[in-house]
Amino acid sequence: MKITERILAEAWWQKAAGHARLQTVGLPPVAHSADELEDSPAWTEGDALHLLLDEDGTVRGHHDPYWEAFATGDLDQVLYLIAEAAIYGPGGSPQEAADALDGIDPAWGRRFRGGGLDVTGTVAACGRDPLEGLGWLAVPWTKQVPYTTLAFYRAEPGRTVDPERLALLYGADPAQVAAGTRLKDLWAVDSGRTLWDRGGETCCFGRTGEWTFLLYHDTLPGSFADQEAYAALGIKESVSLSANSVQSIYTFDYLRDGHRVDDGRDVLELLAYERGRIPYTRGGELDFLNRALRRAELDHPELTSTYELYFHALEESLGLRLPRRDFAEGAVRTASWAGK
């Protein structure tokens, strides 16, 4: 059935009429063109949900005029997304929202808990300490500690990206790499003063699980100059998290098979993620992160930082981890840049 504005309004009225929580929630503003959407006077009221209705019946959801939060021709999905936006927004409790949606439609409650548009079954709780995987580094990283850039690399199944070769291609000192220099070795020089004064001229590297990591501040000119050697590493995926605490810019960049996975939005800023607001297009390339973030919100209400939630979601969805104990004990591999 093709969705029209009349069908949408009648369906919403029928759904809302039977549930006290929705009776005061009106149908979001409906536009029929991009210009009409952009000119909506309701934008002055904040980032409330707006709908753009195409001629073919596709409904596109927007929380601002220029970014599409979802696109679907399924009427039940549209009704669910309107209810979700009304019940669970920034500052809300995900568990309370899940319970409220259960009361409206048990399938909606399951859909909310799964974080996607499809109706899922029971999702197992995480059951792990989120600050033991990747989340422990989230808050220090926003202050560029221990490094500005956290880069991860993964090869095709059955292969690994050699951390020493990767560090050398970036410009790590070959002698320190060959010697197996550790972070604690730099701590031992001048009571750590050398590391404090010259941290910007060093990197840390290693492998955890399927991913090889390389942490650094600034790379030297000529990094990756040997393209053949870089290609020989067999990298299929890379994730780069970059922090600039002075400008409050924190970015996430995910490449897979040479393609940037970004729903067409280029490098993504983490500041766009607010607790209670799915940050990426529903059903899009990054929907796996939407789902992981919803699970993180439900499983770990004790996490007060959205960066911790985001880092935990990256761990759950992509398997990114960093060895917290190795950093605490200084056992992680490190090297200065060659010539420094």
Side-chain angles (χ1 to χ4, degrees):
M1 179 180 62
K2 175 183 173 181
I3 300 176
T4 65
E5 186 169 357
R6 178 179 177 179
I7 288 174
L8 183 58
E10 289 179 350
W12 178 251
W13 179 83
Q14 291 174 2
K15 196 73 174 181
H19 304 283
R21 188 73 181 265
L22 298 180
Q23 287 175 0
T24 59
V25 178
L27 185 71
V30 178
H32 295 269
S33 70
D35 289 341
E36 186 181 347
L37 177 71
E38 184 176 358
D39 294 338
S40 169
W43 289 124
T44 60
E45 300 173 10
D47 60 354
L49 180 64
H50 284 56
L51 304 178
L52 175 60
L53 181 59
D54 291 348
E55 290 184 1
D56 66 358
T58 300
V59 180
R60 303 180 184 277
H62 287 257
H63 290 284
D64 72 54
Y66 312 107
W67 175 62
E68 186 176 283
F70 65 84
T72 180
D74 184 307
L75 182 59
D76 181 65
Q77 287 185 356
V78 177
L79 297 179
Y80 163 76
L81 289 162
I82 294 171
E84 182 193 71
I87 289 173
Y88 183 40
S93 162
Q95 189 58 57
E96 290 177 358
D99 292 343
L101 289 166
D102 274 336
I104 298 170
D105 186 333
W108 282 13
R110 293 195 301 273
R111 182 179 289 166
F112 179 85
R113 290 182 175 88
L117 286 181
D118 55 321
V119 179
T120 63
T122 302
V123 181
C126 173
R128 294 188 296 106
D129 182 351
L131 301 185
E132 286 298 325
L134 186 66
W136 68 272
L137 193 56
V139 172
W141 171 76
T142 62
K143 301 176 177 62
Q144 300 180 188
V145 176
Y147 289 96
T148 300
T149 300
L150 316 178
F152 300 84
Y153 305 86
R154 180 161 61 179
E156 61 189 15
R159 294 189 60 184
T160 57
V161 178
D162 186 284
E164 290 190 355
R165 290 172 61 193
L166 181 69
L168 289 170
L169 276 174
Y170 256 83
D173 187 309
Q176 291 186 350
V177 173
T181 303
R182 306 279 173 171
L183 192 58
K184 60 186 176 183
D185 297 326
L186 297 186
W187 289 346
V189 179
D190 301 328
S191 299
R193 185 169 181 81
T194 296
L195 179 62
W196 178 263
D197 290 342
R198 300 178 59 188
E201 299 170 0
T202 68
C203 65
C204 284
F205 58 94
R207 188 170 65 237
T208 303
E210 297 178 342
W211 292 89
T212 293
F213 63 87
L214 183 68
L215 281 52
Y216 57 89
H217 285 294
D218 299 301
T219 57
L220 294 179
S223 294
F224 293 123
D226 191 340
Q227 292 296 323
E228 290 186 5
Y230 181 70
L233 291 172
I235 294 171
K236 290 296 182 181
E237 295 175 85
S238 66
V239 174
S240 178
L241 295 156
S242 182
N244 185 328
S245 59
V246 176
Q247 297 179 333
S248 294
I249 296 175
Y250 305 96
T251 60
F252 162 70
D253 194 14
Y254 178 32
L255 297 177
R256 185 172 59 210
D257 292 323
H259 165 71
R260 176 168 281 128
V261 182
D262 61 1
D263 291 329
R265 297 169 65 193
D266 206 354
V267 178
L268 302 159
E269 283 204 51
L270 270 62
L271 288 178
Y273 167 56
E274 299 177 69
R275 185 192 300 265
R277 174 64 48 78
I278 291 291
Y280 305 122
T281 301
R282 307 297 277 266
E285 292 183 309
L286 290 167
D287 203 34
F288 68 90
L289 257 180
N290 290 335
R291 295 169 184 263
L293 281 165
R294 175 59 51 75
R295 293 307 314 167
E297 291 174 347
L298 283 163
D299 291 344
H300 300 290
E302 75 279 6
L303 294 184
T304 59
S305 165
T306 55
Y307 292 99
E308 290 174 340
L309 287 168
Y310 196 99
F311 273 44
H312 182 58
L314 287 174
E315 178 189 349
E316 288 293 292
S317 59
L318 289 173
L320 300 183
R321 294 177 68 86
L322 281 171
R324 183 176 189 177
R325 177 174 294 180
D326 284 358
F327 278 89
E329 297 177 354
V332 68
R333 293 286 300 278
T334 190
S336 300
W337 296 131
K340 295 292 183 178

